[in-house]
Amino acid sequence: MENKKSLNFFFVIIAIILGRTLFKQFDFENLKFEHTGIAIVYIVVFVLAIYFLIKNYKKRPKK
């Protein structure tokens, strides 16, 4: 029986929600965020979620 590892559902949901939120808060005319402080926190958590997704994806066993 193979031990299949799937993507971590928790990090996928975090990445989707934060990516969508960052996109909605970014003002494309002025190239700035509406709330800069909270946008920095969102970006850091978004990058960490993507990092953990990629890290776990690379550790999956080969078929």
Side-chain angles (χ1 to χ4, degrees), residues 4-7 14 23-24 32-33 41 47 49 52 63:
K4 292 183 181 179
K5 229 179 176 185
S6 64
L7 289 176
I14 288 176
F23 185 76
K24 287 174 79 175
K32 292 184 179 179
F33 285 101
V41 174
V47 168
F52 286 126
K63 289 184 179 180

Side-chain angles (χ1 to χ4, degrees), residues 8-52:
N8 193 337
F9 185 71
F10 180 70
F11 289 121
V12 170
I13 296 299
I14 288 176
I16 290 172
I17 291 172
L18 288 179
R20 182 173 159 254
T21 303
L22 284 169
F23 185 76
K24 287 174 79 175
Q25 283 191 359
F26 190 72
D27 182 14
F28 287 100
E29 292 179 9
N30 298 327
L31 299 176
K32 292 184 179 179
F33 285 101
E34 293 176 16
H35 307 286
T36 308
I38 196 73
I40 292 170
V41 174
Y42 286 165
I43 290 171
V44 168
V45 175
F46 179 74
V47 168
L48 285 173
I50 297 297
Y51 169 76
F52 286 126

